[in-house]
Every structure is written in structure tokens, then in C-alpha cells.
Amino acid sequence: MKPLVLSMAVAAVLSSGAALAADAQQLLKEKACLACHTVDKKLVGPSYKEVAAKYKSRKDAEAYLSRKIKEGSTGVWGQVPMPPNGTVADNEARTLAKYILTVK
């Protein structure tokens, strides 16, 4: 691959990553996710870093988290349940799950 083409490919990947993060940040605010979660500290629920670390090796991590975001969860992270979020569309849940899995 020629340097210019490689450079453009890297720029496209970085740009899509930045767009994902921006979209996810907006959704985190709109869908009230930040009321219970933060990037790096446990609040009511686990931090996104903890979630990413727990599921990073799971082949179906994105689909699994998308489902948990929409349907809620009980007992995975302790006694406090995560209520379902019916205001999150399927594509929004995928965006959030993709983003959460990138947090380090």
C-alpha cells in the first residue's frame, strides 16, 4: 500500500472512531446513562472501563451489551438491577455498546 493511501486509510479509521465517540457521548447524555455510570469509576453501576474489561474477549460482546442496554440486567454486577431503557433504539444500543467496548 502506498504511503498516501495508507495515511488516508488511517485517517478514515480515526475519523470513524471520533464520530463513534461523539455519537456515543451524546447518547449517554440523552438516554440518562450517566446517571448511573461513568467512564472510570463505579457510580450506581460499573464503570465503562470495568464493563469493557469484563466483556472484551466475548465474541458476541457488542450484541450482548446492546441487548443489556435495552432490556436491563439483574445480578451481573451485584444486587442493584439495571432497569431496561425503552427509549434506546436498536442502532443507538449498538453505538453505545461499540463505544463502551473501546473504553480502556
Side-chain angles (χ1 to χ4, degrees):
M1 191 177 272
K2 294 182 180 182
L4 179 58
V5 173
L6 180 60
S7 190
M8 290 171 58
V10 169
V13 168
L14 292 175
S15 176
S16 68
L20 172 67
D23 290 346
Q25 291 295 325
Q26 185 63 33
L27 286 171
L28 291 172
K29 292 175 190 170
E30 287 176 9
K31 304 302 179 179
C33 303
L34 299 174
C36 297
H37 301 278
T38 70
V39 170
D40 57 0
K41 293 181 178 130
K42 178 177 174 26
L43 193 55
V44 175
S47 72
Y48 293 130
K49 283 184 179 183
E50 291 173 301
V51 175
K54 181 171 185 163
Y55 297 113
K56 68 181 176 185
S57 63
R58 226 182 130 130
K59 291 182 181 185
D60 68 338
E62 185 180 318
Y64 177 80
L65 290 177
S66 294
R67 189 172 58 254
K68 293 296 184 180
I69 289 166
K70 290 188 57 103
E71 296 174 5
S73 178
T74 304
V76 176
W77 294 92
Q79 301 234 345
V80 178
M82 182 174 129
N85 194 332
T87 68
V88 177
D90 290 343
N91 64 322
E92 293 170 330
R94 283 190 301 276
T95 296
L96 289 167
K98 282 181 191 178
Y99 170 72
I100 290 166
L101 290 167
T102 67
V103 176
K104 296 181 182 183

